[in-house]
Amino acid sequence: MSSFVFFFVPTVIFLGMVLPLWLVLHYVSRWRSSKGLSAEDKQTLEAAMGEVERLESRLETLETILDAEQPDWQTRHSVD
């Protein structure tokens, strides 16, 4: 009986206190390490921002052309 208690008590303490704490701390540390963007995500985001800047420049050019050819195009085509 004493050998049973010798193995049973530490096992219960480990499963009841140490293991849950260990699992929580493990997954908290993994969550913190994966919190930021990966290198691939950063590269994709930079490429998308470059595309946005290119499209904004193109839109400004088109508006400049329309302003030169049709000065009142914005008032005629505005949504009321």
Side-chain angles (χ1 to χ4, degrees):
M1 179 74 160
S2 67
S3 64
F4 176 73
V5 171
F6 180 73
F7 290 111
F8 182 72
V9 171
T11 303
V12 169
I13 291 172
F14 179 79
L15 291 175
M17 295 176 64
V18 176
L19 185 63
L21 182 61
W22 188 0
L23 287 172
V24 166
L25 292 176
H26 169 72
Y27 284 110
V28 164
S29 68
R30 289 187 51 111
W31 173 71
R32 285 185 180 166
S33 67
S34 68
K35 197 174 186 180
L37 294 176
S38 68
E40 182 181 343
D41 291 340
K42 288 180 184 178
Q43 186 178 13
T44 303
L45 183 59
E46 288 176 7
M49 289 302 295
E51 186 72 15
V52 165
E53 290 173 1
R54 187 183 70 80
L55 290 172
E56 283 178 346
S57 172
R58 186 173 178 179
L59 182 63
E60 289 173 4
T61 303
L62 289 172
E63 287 178 346
T64 303
I65 292 170
L66 279 173
D67 284 337
E69 291 183 3
Q70 298 288 328
D72 60 341
W73 69 272
Q74 288 179 334
T75 58
R76 287 190 298 160
H77 297 288
S78 65
V79 177
D80 293 328

